[in-house]
Amino acid sequence: MPAEPVAVAFANTRSSRHRDRIEGLDRWRAWSDARDGLRTVGRAVDADGLDDLRAVRDDVQEVLRGAARGREPDPGAAERLLRLARASVPFGLGWRGDRYELTVPEHGTPAAAVAHHLSGAAVGLLVTGPSLAVCRGEDCLKVFVATRADRRWCDSAACGNRARVRSHHRRRIGQDG
């Protein structure tokens, strides 16, 4: 399965109301390190910047989930993302090894550059990207690219398996009861 677009991966860092994959700088750095173009600038994000990025992530998730359901999302979330995507944020591109990466000049902040990049990626995905779907797993907040009409879960081995176990349990209780 191909990697999800960066805006989807970012939104999915909150997979449930109780699980935040970028809570804390160590977890944020692990996530940004996995995206070559964000590695250096992502490592420079501080705690305050991470708080800002988590708020951006929540808006990205709200907007992508709304679009995946065919509903207009919270207008505040969409407006905040659009404002960030249109903002004049100082950033640059630096060649590192064999690829470009996001850079931040002296008068910029790493979190602002990352927020600008990720909000722009979300807006681009909404306007010209593929169709999205919402995971049907219980308590799962993830979205994914709808590559197949019959795909129901973000991960068949995780959410799909939990749904099958719950269904089996309900059927078994119905037979025993």
Side-chain angles (χ1 to χ4, degrees):
M1 185 179 310
E4 298 284 6
V6 70
V8 170
F10 184 54
N12 288 346
T13 60
R14 178 176 298 283
S15 55
S16 75
R17 303 206 188 296
H18 310 290
R19 184 151 187 202
D20 186 343
R21 290 182 163 88
I22 59 171
E23 184 175 39
L25 286 172
D26 288 343
R27 296 183 87 183
W28 161 255
R29 288 181 180 135
W31 185 85
S32 63
D33 280 356
R35 280 123 196 105
D36 290 335
L38 296 179
R39 183 174 293 131
T40 303
V41 71
R43 288 202 150 267
V45 169
D46 62 16
D48 290 336
L50 179 57
D51 287 343
D52 294 343
L53 287 170
R54 289 173 65 212
V56 172
R57 182 271 317 275
D58 293 346
D59 285 344
V60 169
Q61 188 174 66
E62 167 70 21
V63 171
L64 294 185
R65 284 177 59 81
R69 288 185 167 128
R71 295 186 209 140
E72 185 176 4
D74 171 48
E79 180 56 37
R80 286 187 298 273
L81 277 186
L82 193 54
R83 194 174 334 118
L84 271 172
R86 292 190 301 207
S88 176
V89 175
F91 70 92
L93 284 176
W95 185 257
R96 186 176 185 98
D98 62 347
R99 67 181 326 123
Y100 280 106
E101 69 176 11
L102 195 61
T103 62
V104 182
E106 278 183 43
H107 55 284
T109 66
V114 172
H116 176 71
H117 172 71
L118 294 172
S119 62
V123 170
L125 181 64
L126 292 167
V127 174
T128 60
S131 295
L132 300 173
V134 175
C135 182
R136 295 186 196 166
E138 189 175 304
D139 195 37
C140 186
L141 298 174
K142 289 184 175 184
V143 296
F144 55 87
V145 173
T147 54
R148 296 184 345 250
D150 65 339
R151 184 174 172 194
R152 295 184 283 174
W153 301 292
C154 61
D155 183 348
S156 184
C159 286
N161 191 52
R162 284 190 288 270
R164 287 186 289 275
V165 167
R166 275 191 301 278
S167 177
H168 174 75
H169 182 70
R170 279 191 292 262
R171 283 192 309 273
R172 187 172 168 107
I173 287 175
Q175 291 173 353
D176 294 342

